[in-house]
Amino acid sequence: MHSIAASIMCGDQLNLGQELRKLEEAAVDLLHCDVMDGSFVNNLAMGPYVLEQIKERTSIPLDIHLATEQPSKYIDMFAPLQPKYISFHVEVCEQIEKDIEKIKGYGIEPVLAVNPESPIEMIKPYLSMVPMLLIMTVNPGFAGQRFNHHVLEKLVVLSKLIETMENKPLIEVDGNINVTTVPALIDRGANVFVLGTSALFNHQKGTYEQKVNEIRELFEKRRI
């Protein structure tokens, strides 16, 4: 089964209430929320007060992506919002198992995130501990970057690693996800697709519902 997460950071920040209504009409499955600390990535985004108001105004489950150093600190900061998922980057975490358990202790599902250049071996020891993995197809920090095609090879390796697992973690992909890149990602095992500027929050014709349905049609074609 395939799901769509809308990257709310790419939406109109002065009209978030309107954006949330349109995303609900489009029936997206998750609201992907990028938290950036200006250190792990060279950008700042989405503090707890903003996400608290978003949480109050939508029924779409939150998928919080911590693009931060010191993940443990930010887990404690955002856990009170009770999102469905919190992801953190293995590249900066010195206590991965401990932070996985911390997230679970809050009743939230933990997700491990890796950058395009990071090897799959970094998450291999933890595959059975998490329900989902976030594979970045661009470097986190800014929208509109070019898709890293070499990540497709990583997805092939990852899919082979989890194919024999009883409880297979979902594979979420984020970064220039659109009608051009989705088919190859589906074929390599991706399940959850984060839509941002290139597929959803752009000035191309069509409503959010129409754009989301265009991606869902690709899901259906891949099932045939």
Side-chain angles (χ1 to χ4, degrees):
M1 184 174 181
H2 300 105
S3 303
I4 289 176
S7 179
I8 193 61
M9 183 189 80
C10 299
D12 183 348
Q13 300 301 293
L14 294 182
N15 295 285
L16 285 178
Q18 181 180 354
E19 294 284 52
L20 293 172
R21 288 191 295 273
K22 290 192 291 185
L23 292 172
E24 288 176 348
E25 291 170 359
V28 300
D29 303 289
L30 294 168
L31 200 64
H32 189 79
C33 308
D34 289 301
V35 174
M36 303 179 189
D37 63 356
S39 183
F40 179 63
V41 295
N42 192 27
N43 198 358
L44 295 168
M46 311 223 84
Y49 290 141
V50 173
L51 293 190
E52 181 179 6
Q53 300 225 356
I54 287 174
K55 170 81 171 181
E56 291 173 354
R57 286 164 173 76
T58 185
S59 60
I60 305 172
L62 302 189
D63 171 28
I64 296 180
H65 171 204
L66 300 178
T68 69
E69 295 184 355
Q70 298 180 296
S72 184
K73 166 186 170 182
Y74 288 91
I75 290 167
D76 290 332
M77 190 181 299
F78 287 90
L81 297 177
Q82 282 296 292
K84 181 174 179 62
Y85 297 109
I86 289 181
S87 60
F88 64 91
H89 278 262
V90 295
E91 294 92 348
V92 291
C93 186
E94 297 179 356
Q95 47 183 17
I96 293 175
E97 289 188 39
K98 186 175 179 180
D99 282 342
I100 287 173
E101 293 305 317
K102 172 179 274 197
I103 294 171
K104 289 180 178 178
Y106 280 114
I108 300 165
E109 297 186 58
V111 179
L112 294 181
V114 290
N115 283 341
E117 303 304 326
S118 299
I120 290 297
E121 284 72 21
M122 293 185 74
I123 59 174
K124 185 177 178 180
Y126 314 102
L127 293 178
S128 63
M129 302 179 191
V130 295
M132 190 162 74
L133 305 159
L134 173 56
I135 310 301
M136 298 299 300
T137 53
V138 304
N139 290 314
F142 295 91
Q145 298 179 62
R146 182 175 298 179
F147 184 87
N148 283 279
H149 287 273
H150 71 269
V151 176
L152 296 175
E153 299 172 11
K154 289 171 58 175
L155 288 173
V156 171
V157 173
L158 179 59
S159 294
K160 288 181 179 178
L161 285 175
I162 67 176
E163 66 182 358
T164 59
M165 294 177 60
E166 184 175 349
N167 297 310
K168 299 179 179 63
L170 298 172
I171 299 175
E172 182 177 30
V173 286
D174 181 11
N176 209 338
I177 308 302
N178 53 48
V179 292
T180 301
T181 56
V182 162
L185 292 165
I186 294 174
D187 291 345
R188 289 159 178 81
N191 314 102
V192 182
F193 300 81
V194 179
L195 304 186
T197 304
S198 67
L200 189 58
F201 301 102
N202 52 44
H203 300 295
Q204 296 176 6
K205 292 182 180 179
T207 65
Y208 289 176
E209 185 175 8
Q210 289 169 332
K211 293 173 183 178
V212 166
N213 286 341
E214 188 176 17
I215 299 295
R216 292 197 190 280
E217 287 175 8
L218 295 177
F219 297 164
E220 293 299 326
K221 288 178 181 178
R222 279 312 194 261
R223 290 196 187 107
I224 299 174

